[in-house]
């Protein structure tokens, strides 16, 4: 039993669980983290326990952030590599904890990016799909793309994303055609035919995956 307990203590589990601070309140918001307090608790207490608490919080937060915006997959890949490296013995607990803290800081910045871009989370997701990794855009062109994102979502939600639209051939075609028209009319000239077609495909896939119709979406579910 002692060997089993030591093995469990050495490994970082892939499945998240609810984290509770000393006041027994669940910790679920990155903005609540006091990094100095976190580091003090790590240095003074059970290092693996504190690392696991932070890992679990990041796992839950990343799942939400990736659901809202699929272009954030790089954060999840980095997170998984950290866990794999630690479980394989490539990272000791001190380095692993420091890397988790650094990743938390990066996610805090990302979590506020929609506000800095003057976009909603769903507008930001569409904007990222249209701008990452190409094309390279000037600030004026980025402003055009933001306008296109707002216009498309407003049009789709007002007129096209009806109940069970994903199950109806005509409704799906209508959504796709509306998307193509808005993009063709509003995107900058930097979007050549190849990039335009690729972005139409990616954007439609995102809309199909994220919007269920009749006002329901992954974003409404998280409010």
């Amino acid at each position: 039993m002692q060997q089993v307990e030591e093995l469990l203590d050495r490994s970082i589990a892939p499945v998240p669980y609810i984290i509770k601070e000393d006041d027994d309140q669940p910790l679920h918001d990155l903005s609540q983290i006091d990094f100095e307090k976190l580091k003090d608790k790590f240095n003074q207490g059970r290092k693996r326990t504190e690392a696991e608490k932070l890992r679990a919080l990041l796992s839950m937060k990343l799942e939400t952030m990736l659901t809202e915006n699929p272009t954030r997959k790089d954060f999840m890949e980095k997170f998984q590599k950290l866990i794999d490296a630690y479980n394989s013995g490539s990272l000791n607990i001190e380095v692993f904890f420091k890397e988790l803290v650094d990743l938390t800081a990066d996610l805090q910045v990302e979590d506020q990016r929609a506000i800095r871009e003057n976009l909603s989370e769903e507008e930001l997701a569409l904007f990222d799909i249209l701008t990452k990794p190409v094309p390279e855009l000037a600030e004026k062109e980025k402003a055009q793309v933001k306008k296109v994102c707002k216009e498309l979502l407003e049009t789709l939600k007002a007129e096209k994303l009806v109940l069970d639209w994903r199950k109806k051939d005509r409704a799906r075609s209508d959504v796709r055609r509306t998307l193509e028209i808005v993009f063709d009319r509003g995107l900058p000239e930097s979007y050549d035919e190849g990039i335009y077609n690729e972005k139409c495909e990616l954007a439609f896939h995102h809309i199909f995956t994220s919007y269920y119709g009749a006002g329901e979406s992954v974003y409404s579910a998280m409010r």
Side-chain angles (χ1 to χ4, degrees), residues 79 101 122 166:
F79 177 62
V101 170
E122 52 189 319
R166 299 184 297 179

Side-chain angles (χ1 to χ4, degrees), residues 86-118:
Y86 176 75
N87 286 339
S88 70
S90 300
L91 296 179
N92 62 34
I93 189 64
E94 287 80 10
V95 175
F96 178 65
F97 182 76
K98 180 183 180 302
E99 292 291 338
L100 288 179
V101 170
D102 290 344
L103 179 58
T104 303
D106 291 341
L107 291 183
Q108 284 181 324
V109 174
E110 174 64 20
D111 206 29
Q112 297 298 311
R113 189 161 60 87
I115 296 174
R116 296 195 303 274
E117 296 284 1
N118 194 28

Side-chain angles (χ1 to χ4, degrees), residues 23 25 61 70 73 87 105 109 121 128 169 171 177 188 192 214 220:
D23 60 2
Q25 294 296 314
K61 182 62 178 178
K73 62 183 180 180
N87 286 339
V109 174
E121 281 293 337
D128 286 345
D169 291 342
R177 182 58 181 161
D192 60 28
S220 62

Side-chain angles (χ1 to χ4, degrees), residues 82-185:
L82 286 177
I83 294 174
D84 293 343
Y86 176 75
N87 286 339
S88 70
S90 300
L91 296 179
N92 62 34
I93 189 64
E94 287 80 10
V95 175
F96 178 65
F97 182 76
K98 180 183 180 302
E99 292 291 338
L100 288 179
V101 170
D102 290 344
L103 179 58
T104 303
D106 291 341
L107 291 183
Q108 284 181 324
V109 174
E110 174 64 20
D111 206 29
Q112 297 298 311
R113 189 161 60 87
I115 296 174
R116 296 195 303 274
E117 296 284 1
N118 194 28
L119 297 169
S120 66
E121 281 293 337
E122 52 189 319
E123 290 166 351
L124 179 66
L126 191 55
F127 175 77
D128 286 345
I129 288 170
L130 290 175
T131 58
K132 294 180 178 180
V134 292
E136 293 188 13
L137 301 172
E139 289 303 315
K140 183 178 180 180
E141 292 176 313
K142 289 181 181 179
Q144 285 181 253
V145 177
K146 290 179 182 180
K147 183 178 179 182
V148 166
C149 294
K150 292 176 182 288
E151 178 185 347
L152 176 63
L153 290 177
E154 288 174 1
T155 301
L156 291 180
K157 289 193 285 186
E159 305 171 9
K160 307 300 179 181
L161 300 178
V162 297
L163 181 65
D164 291 335
W165 73 273
R166 299 184 297 179
K167 299 178 181 179
K168 304 171 183 176
D169 291 342
R170 183 173 180 178
R172 290 198 306 271
S173 297
D174 200 15
V175 169
R176 177 62 183 249
R177 182 58 181 161
T178 300
L179 180 151
E180 292 173 348
I181 291 172
V182 172
F183 283 1
D184 185 54
R185 184 174 59 219

